Amino acid sequence: MDLDEILPDVGEFGAYQQLLLWFVLLPGVLPCGFHAYNQLFMAASPPHWCHVPELDALNISHAWARNLSIPAGDRGGFSQCRMFRRNYSRLAAAVEAALEQAPDVDTLPCAHGYAFDYTQYATTVVTEWDMVCDKDYQSTLALVLLALGGLIGNYIFGYLQDSIGRRPAFFIYLFIECAFGIATAFAQDFVTWTAFRIGVGFTVPAIMGTPYVLAIELVGPSKRTAVTILSNIAYSLSLVALAAVVYLVRDWRQLSLATSVPFLCFFLYWWVLPESPRWLLARGRFQEAEAILRLMARVNGRPLPPNYMSQLMRKFQPEKTPLASATPYDPQPEQERSYGVLDLVRTPNLRRKTLIITFIWFTNTSVYVGLSYYAPVLGGDEFLNFFLAGAVELPTYLFLWPAMLRWGRRVALCVSMVVGGTACLATVLVQNDPMVTLVLYCVGKMGISSSFVVVPLMASELYPTVVRGLGMSTSSVVGMLGPICIPLVNYLGSDMLVLPLLVMGSLLLAGGVCSLLLPETLNQHLPQSLEDGERFGRDHMPCCTTRWAPPGAAGRRRPTL
């Protein structure tokens, strides 16, 4: 039973869907943006140098104390991890004489901790636990582990979303994320803090997936582009809002609370957030689906007859053939059996689409997260850079929306990735010009933001309903391998500013080429069963598709060459 054929009776995008979208589903995206990137500022590393306690007794400024004790750095400024080897007790009585000896004095590692510049941050985990110099890898390690938690959690929650439903899954994600987000503020050491951040990362991608999938499944084909664009606008606005929050809250413990506690009010959605009727119909839970459909129809002003569901059952029953309910990979009726990852790759066409979607998702996740992580290290004001990284996404939707409606998803995806990849690669030509590098970075961010809108939409339209959550979570899980590696690329690229941009640009170009291998999904009905998913787009690339026929079909079809 296809919900797309039922929605005209209850309203494809009526008052019910609009109220739910604006007041529940779009705000439900905010926790993902806040918790995905607040760690960049909790673990910010301000300028620092060796602390010399003997100079504390002198009534001199930080600059004077630094001149006395810190040698020049390799790239100008002052060394962050070395100090002069001096008798500072004696120097305290003869400051001027000590300065004259500076060229002939040896250096040694910081022996008494570090002094930090607190101009921009009141405290960060870096300043509190001295995560600099020989421990500067710890902030990168924490980002890697955050992404690793997201990879594991996304895989688990994909099964959860398809097995128990979209609605209960969302509140499970929300509880875990808020609990660990609040606990982060009370961590007393790096190990405990990292453990709590892994708990937060466990739900970061998944908590955005449920509102997004619900928005897609509650509207008709002609409105899927609109709700996709609106969901991504909400996500971009969450980054802009986060930039404002981190600008106002400079203490990392208060920042953890400020980006977690407000989302406790989302538990009030328990009384208004519905289950996906599309998922209920696919699982054979017709009475529950009918209750939601009647509510939708009533709010949308579409009266339904008392025996509406019975009429639908009689209408769709003849379409259910033995072949549709029992195939070699589907021995049970659709609503009775359980599904696994192997169902995504068991048949040739669905396998091809799954592999291509997964690779493109990997490139998009890697580059989107990588560029967002990269914003604070571009130089200049970190808060302004992060604000721009979120704000430049918003204008892209003005062009992307009509482009997706006129030229389709495939062309929009390819052009976005190629433009973004070319801009990132071009930074190697202007790496000595910070302003031009910033402009190219913004163009690259606009390109990846556009493609990151299209990828989940295409995936949701290509995966069948019975495995849609599982398929999207599987592709997203593989995509989460990127954020595990990207912090390491940024860390290794600290000596060459454009190295991460070159890596990310190459990934985008490769993904853009692969996007042309997918079928167009604009205004197509969502596939419901695995058999629908196998049929959809089978003739798009006949040279790469093996014709599959269920047992009992006359003869064996050979691969199309």
Side-chain angles (χ1 to χ4, degrees):
M1 190 178 296
D2 190 351
L3 184 66
D4 289 338
E5 298 184 23
I6 302 174
L7 282 175
D9 295 335
V10 300
E12 292 189 63
F13 194 56
Y16 180 85
Q17 289 100 322
Q18 293 178 37
L19 289 172
L20 197 67
L21 182 70
W22 289 107
F23 295 105
V24 178
L25 299 180
L26 295 184
V29 171
L30 298 180
C32 180
F34 271 52
H35 284 109
Y37 300 110
N38 61 356
Q39 185 167 317
L40 295 177
F41 299 92
M42 280 195 279
S45 182
H48 57 87
W49 54 89
C50 296
H51 174 231
V52 181
E54 291 88 347
L55 298 180
D56 290 344
L58 296 177
N59 190 20
I60 58 176
S61 66
H62 277 300
W64 269 95
R66 188 174 56 190
N67 290 336
L68 284 171
S69 57
I70 310 301
D74 296 334
R75 290 184 244 171
F78 291 88
S79 173
Q80 298 188 101
C81 304
R82 306 289 294 183
M83 57 183 286
F84 288 128
R85 190 189 302 275
R86 284 175 166 158
N87 185 336
Y88 289 100
S89 298
R90 187 178 63 185
L91 288 181
V95 173
E96 294 298 332
L99 287 175
E100 295 176 1
Q101 299 176 17
D104 303 318
V105 178
D106 193 10
T107 68
L108 74 161
C110 300
H112 305 287
Y114 304 88
F116 292 90
D117 184 349
Y118 292 100
T119 304
Q120 284 194 309
Y121 296 95
T123 61
T124 69
V125 294
V126 171
T127 63
E128 186 162 332
W129 298 319
D130 286 349
M131 293 163 50
V132 293
C133 297
D134 58 333
K135 296 194 293 184
D136 64 346
Y137 68 90
Q138 290 181 337
S139 57
T140 299
L141 175 62
L143 281 177
V144 170
L145 294 176
L146 177 79
L148 183 61
L151 186 152
I152 298 171
N154 215 21
Y155 182 76
I156 295 173
F157 291 139
Y159 278 103
L160 195 66
Q161 184 176 232
D162 279 335
S163 59
I164 69 173
R166 289 35 167 154
R167 180 175 177 269
F170 174 77
F171 290 104
I172 293 174
Y173 310 154
L174 184 64
F175 174 78
I176 294 175
E177 189 167 58
C178 288
F180 280 99
I182 293 172
T184 297
F186 302 96
Q188 298 301 313
D189 55 61
F190 172 74
V191 174
T192 306
W193 177 78
T194 303
F196 290 149
R197 295 306 301 169
I198 294 173
V200 171
F202 200 60
T203 62
V204 162
I207 200 169
M208 181 180 177
T210 298
Y212 178 83
V213 169
L214 266 174
I216 291 295
E217 293 186 339
L218 283 169
V219 301
S222 63
K223 299 299 181 181
R224 290 201 293 262
T225 300
V227 298
T228 297
I229 294 290
L230 291 173
S231 296
N232 282 273
I233 289 176
Y235 184 78
S236 299
L237 289 175
S238 75
L239 301 185
V240 174
L242 177 61
V245 172
V246 298
Y247 179 80
L248 296 173
V249 183
R250 306 296 181 94
D251 177 88
W252 74 268
R253 294 184 187 274
Q254 295 179 16
L255 178 61
S256 181
L257 294 174
T259 52
S260 300
V261 172
F263 298 124
L264 292 175
C265 67
F266 283 8
F267 284 102
L268 297 175
Y269 289 160
W270 179 265
W271 288 275
V272 294
L273 184 67
E275 185 51 84
S276 167
R278 195 183 298 271
W279 178 83
L280 291 171
L281 291 173
R283 304 295 291 188
R285 295 162 60 173
F286 300 112
Q287 291 183 343
E288 297 172 66
E290 181 182 12
I292 296 174
L293 291 173
R294 288 193 177 278
L295 176 61
M296 291 173 62
R298 185 168 64 253
V299 177
N300 291 340
R302 301 287 187 90
L304 295 179
N307 59 343
Y308 179 72
M309 187 57 68
S310 300
Q311 293 177 6
L312 289 177
M313 296 288 289
R314 287 194 298 271
K315 175 183 177 181
F316 288 100
Q317 189 66 29
E319 299 179 7
K320 184 178 179 182
T321 64
L323 195 60
S325 61
T327 66
Y329 62 89
D330 188 13
Q332 306 173 38
E334 292 287 345
Q335 67 268 24
E336 295 179 2
R337 62 161 293 186
S338 59
Y339 299 91
V341 175
L342 290 179
D343 290 307
L344 298 171
V345 295
R346 203 180 298 276
T347 54
N349 184 40
L350 189 56
R351 176 171 58 245
R352 177 176 63 87
K353 291 184 292 186
T354 298
L355 293 176
I356 295 173
I357 291 170
T358 301
F359 174 71
I360 295 175
W361 206 310
F362 168 80
T363 61
N364 274 261
T365 306
S366 301
V367 177
Y368 185 88
V369 174
L371 289 179
S372 298
Y373 284 173
Y374 193 70
V377 303
L378 277 173
D381 191 316
E382 298 179 10
F383 306 103
L384 178 61
N385 289 345
F386 190 80
F387 170 81
L388 290 175
V392 295
E393 298 181 9
L394 298 174
T396 64
Y397 304 132
L398 300 177
F399 304 100
L400 184 63
W401 195 328
M404 291 173 67
L405 292 175
R406 181 171 182 177
W407 294 303
R409 285 73 157 113
R410 190 160 53 97
V411 172
L413 178 62
C414 178
V415 172
S416 298
M417 296 184 74
V418 169
V419 169
T422 302
C424 290
L425 291 175
T427 56
V428 72
L429 303 176
V430 293
Q431 54 185 304
N432 294 324
D433 191 330
M435 183 56 65
V436 177
T437 299
L438 177 61
V439 171
L440 289 174
Y441 165 84
C442 289
V443 174
K445 191 65 161 55
M446 293 174 71
I448 188 58
S449 300
S450 298
S451 63
F452 209 61
V453 173
V454 187
V455 170
L457 176 60
M458 280 199 78
S460 69
E461 294 176 332
L462 288 172
Y463 285 127
T465 297
V466 292
V467 290
R468 183 167 295 120
L470 176 61
M472 294 182 69
S473 66
T474 300
S475 297
S476 179
V477 163
V478 177
M480 287 299 295
L481 293 173
I484 293 175
C485 303
I486 283 296
L488 300 176
V489 174
N490 285 347
Y491 179 75
L492 295 175
S494 57
D495 292 331
M496 180 181 178
L497 187 64
V498 298
L499 176 62
L501 296 177
L502 294 179
V503 173
M504 291 184 274
S506 301
L507 284 174
L508 272 185
L509 290 180
V513 173
C514 290
S515 66
L516 296 176
L517 302 177
L518 291 173
E520 183 53 65
T521 60
L522 178 63
N523 292 330
Q524 301 295 317
H525 281 221
L526 294 180
Q528 303 298 313
S529 65
L530 292 176
E531 189 177 23
D532 293 339
E534 174 60 23
R535 281 197 302 265
F536 185 77
R538 187 163 54 191
D539 298 324
H540 172 64
M541 295 289 291
C543 62
C544 304
T545 304
T546 302
R547 292 285 188 176
W548 173 85
R556 290 281 183 179
R557 294 183 182 179
R558 297 184 178 182
T560 301
L561 300 178

